[in-house]
Amino acid sequence: MKVLMFGWEFPPHIAGGLGTACYGMTKGLAHAGVDVLFVMPSASGDEDQSAVRIVNASDVAVQNVCTTVDEFINKVKFFYVDSNLVPYVDPDEYFEAIEKMKKENRTETKVGFSQKFKFSGKYGANLMEEVARYAQVGGTIAMQHADEIDVIHAHDWLTYLAGIAAKELTGKPLVVHVHATSYDRGDEAHIDSRVLEIETRGMKAADRVITVSDLTRNIVINKYGIDPAKVVTCYNAVDFSGRTDMEVERGVKDKVVTFLGRVTYQKGPEYFIEAAAKILKRCNNVRFVMAGSGDMLNRCIRHVARLGISDRFHFTGFLRGADVQKMFALSDVYIMPSISEPFGISPLEAMQTNVPSIISKQSGCAEILRYAIKTDFWDVDAMADAIYGILNYPALSQMSARCGYDEVNALKWDNAALKIKAVYESVADNK
């Protein structure tokens, strides 16, 4: 079976869990006998292609398949949107990008055929423009490989338009993979209607929708109105192949409690800060680390200062690759206090490095992890008690580390890939 897969990022260049999930998933699919052609906006050339073929969308010329742009747009039911939406970019970079765009008076890029688009592949000021262009290139790539592909697979809203274009132009079945929704990224009053429209359109156009947890499945069904019969939950996993037992030397003797993720509303960073303040009233041998960047970073720094705990609180900025592994190796506790987390791969990565983990009950991975301690994201007292217990009771810490490691070791991408392959086969058989 051959699959045309649309993604946005792929290790080693990632901004979040999406690229990590795509990497593990494609390796698992390769072991299951599925040949994946993975399309991304901007490939660097250093991606691991041992289990997947990568197509760099920036190297593909849009073909003259229609006599006019309007004809192409109507044919694939495609629309152009422009927005300053920037979901992951660092706050300082965001404002710099917006100001640059204003000075250049950039609102759109003219569309032409038999030309190549240079994608940044990032989450910058022209994100919506790149999503729109990616759909056109995606349609071209799909037509170039129409005879060899059986299924189209699109990851998250950034690639849904490309998936729709590919389906409309080739007639191949479309599977969309929901790693997060607009309802996870913020409160409903501040949802971007344009992203919501793309998400809804992608899910409705799909022959099957894969969600990363039952929590997300319920959102897809109840918020987007998608038929439950075509929504399937396939849990993420963790890749153990690159795991190393890293030895690190600590500069301090204190215990270390780590938050690692985007510093955004969704991830609940302020609840972590409140719990830290409560711990520091009871213990003076603990340090807290917030590893990541996001639109709430400056707010969190000010929050820490107001609480008077700056001498015990450290901000590292965004970490990737070996630095993530080093941070876990330095940690005694990992915590993910997310307000809404469709799945959450980082606790699995922490547990595979023998770090006891605390996660919110409002996370998808809470559905499958028995040996992570679970609290409500808003219950900072329970969160603080859980941290205190792991730091001060060696038996609890050792059991959490040992059992957690064994638990996540059983969550293999090969098993997840078999379920995804079954989804492919179900839609391919219906065509």
Side-chain angles (χ1 to χ4, degrees):
M1 174 169 284
K2 297 186 178 181
V3 175
L4 177 64
M5 186 175 290
F6 291 102
W8 198 258
E9 58 181 38
F10 201 84
H13 307 287
I14 60 173
L18 179 59
T20 302
C22 287
Y23 178 64
M25 189 185 307
T26 52
K27 288 180 68 175
L29 288 169
H31 294 158
V34 178
D35 183 10
V36 177
L37 185 65
F38 190 90
V39 184
M40 57 189 299
S42 181
S44 300
D46 55 351
E47 293 82 7
D48 181 359
Q49 297 193 48
S50 60
V52 64
R53 290 183 296 156
I54 290 180
V55 175
N56 184 1
S58 295
D59 290 339
V60 178
V62 176
Q63 299 301 310
N64 191 0
V65 295
C66 303
T67 56
T68 68
V69 175
D70 288 339
E71 184 181 346
F72 175 82
I73 291 173
N74 291 333
K75 186 172 183 179
V76 299
K77 302 175 183 175
F78 163 86
F79 63 94
Y80 175 86
V81 289
D82 181 39
S83 170
N84 293 334
L85 177 74
V86 187
Y88 299 135
V89 74
D90 177 88
D92 294 332
E93 294 176 357
Y94 169 79
F95 289 113
E96 288 175 7
I98 295 301
E99 288 305 313
K100 182 178 180 182
M101 186 178 68
K102 288 178 179 177
K103 290 177 181 177
E104 295 176 353
N105 195 27
R106 293 180 60 183
T107 57
E108 65 176 331
T109 297
K110 293 185 180 298
V111 177
F113 292 111
S114 295
Q115 74 173 50
K116 297 178 181 178
F117 296 120
K118 182 60 179 175
F119 294 93
S120 71
K122 299 187 183 299
Y123 305 92
N126 295 320
L127 177 62
M128 279 295 194
E129 182 183 339
E130 294 212 344
V131 168
R133 286 191 250 157
Y134 191 48
Q136 294 182 61
V137 179
T140 297
I141 294 170
M143 288 186 293
Q144 291 173 347
H145 297 274
D147 293 337
E148 60 182 277
I149 60 174
D150 301 296
V151 178
I152 300 158
H153 188 159
H155 290 280
D156 251 7
W157 71 271
L158 296 158
T159 74
Y160 287 173
L161 293 182
I164 293 171
K167 176 181 178 177
E168 293 290 335
L169 289 167
T170 65
K172 304 292 183 177
L174 171 64
V175 174
V176 301
H177 208 129
V178 184
H179 297 264
T181 72
S182 288
Y183 296 94
D184 299 305
R185 300 184 190 102
D187 60 90
E188 292 192 32
H190 296 94
I191 287 177
D192 190 295
S193 61
R194 293 158 294 189
V195 175
L196 186 65
E197 184 176 358
I198 293 175
E199 290 175 329
T200 304
R201 187 172 183 174
M203 294 177 200
K204 289 185 179 298
D207 297 273
R208 198 75 84 241
V209 178
I210 296 177
T211 58
V212 293
S213 64
D214 285 337
L215 174 73
T216 304
R217 183 176 185 270
N218 290 334
I219 292 174
V220 167
I221 293 168
N222 297 319
K223 297 289 188 180
Y224 293 86
I226 306 301
D227 181 2
K230 78 172 190 178
V231 188
V232 180
T233 295
C234 295
Y235 292 108
N236 286 332
V238 64
D239 182 18
F240 264 69
S241 62
R243 182 183 181 274
T244 58
D245 293 319
M246 183 179 293
E247 293 290 334
V248 293
E249 183 177 346
R250 293 194 181 194
V252 295
K253 295 182 180 179
D254 298 330
K255 301 286 189 178
V256 176
V257 182
T258 300
F259 168 108
L260 191 149
R262 295 194 310 279
V263 188
T264 61
Y265 170 84
Q266 174 194 350
K267 300 294 183 178
E270 291 190 299
Y271 296 102
F272 172 62
I273 294 170
E274 291 290 340
K278 289 181 178 293
I279 289 291
L280 290 171
K281 290 179 180 178
R282 303 161 67 183
C283 305
N284 59 6
N285 64 336
V286 187
R287 291 177 183 268
F288 294 84
V289 175
M290 183 169 285
S293 62
D295 59 7
M296 286 185 65
L297 181 59
N298 289 338
R299 177 173 169 177
C300 287
I301 293 172
R302 291 193 296 269
H303 193 175
V304 167
R306 281 195 301 270
L307 291 172
I309 58 175
S310 299
D311 61 326
R312 290 279 159 179
F313 211 103
H314 307 271
F315 295 89
T316 69
F318 182 75
L319 301 181
R320 60 165 54 86
D323 288 334
V324 172
Q325 296 304 314
K326 184 177 180 180
M327 190 67 251
F328 285 140
L330 288 167
S331 302
D332 296 283
V333 181
Y334 173 77
I335 184 163
M336 186 183 75
S338 297
I339 293 172
S340 179
E341 187 72 49
F343 185 77
I345 288 180
S346 55
L348 277 64
E349 294 175 327
M351 292 165 74
Q352 76 170 167
T353 52
N354 296 297
V355 181
S357 296
I358 302 167
I359 60 177
S360 74
K361 294 178 181 178
Q362 292 72 28
S363 61
C365 62
E367 298 170 14
I368 59 172
L369 293 178
R370 295 175 56 201
Y371 290 100
I373 297 176
K374 303 162 194 172
T375 69
D376 289 304
F377 72 86
W378 45 263
D379 195 343
V380 293
D381 289 317
M383 204 180 295
D385 286 342
I387 295 170
Y388 183 88
I390 292 173
L391 293 179
N392 290 280
Y393 295 96
L396 176 60
S397 175
Q398 292 164 11
M399 186 204 73
S400 296
R402 183 183 67 256
C403 295
Y405 175 86
D406 291 341
E407 182 171 48
V408 297
N409 192 29
L411 300 175
K412 300 183 183 298
W413 274 115
D414 284 358
N415 297 332
L418 289 174
K419 190 165 187 179
I420 294 170
K421 182 182 179 181
V423 173
Y424 293 158
E425 291 171 343
S426 70
V427 296
D429 291 341
N430 290 333
K431 288 294 180 180

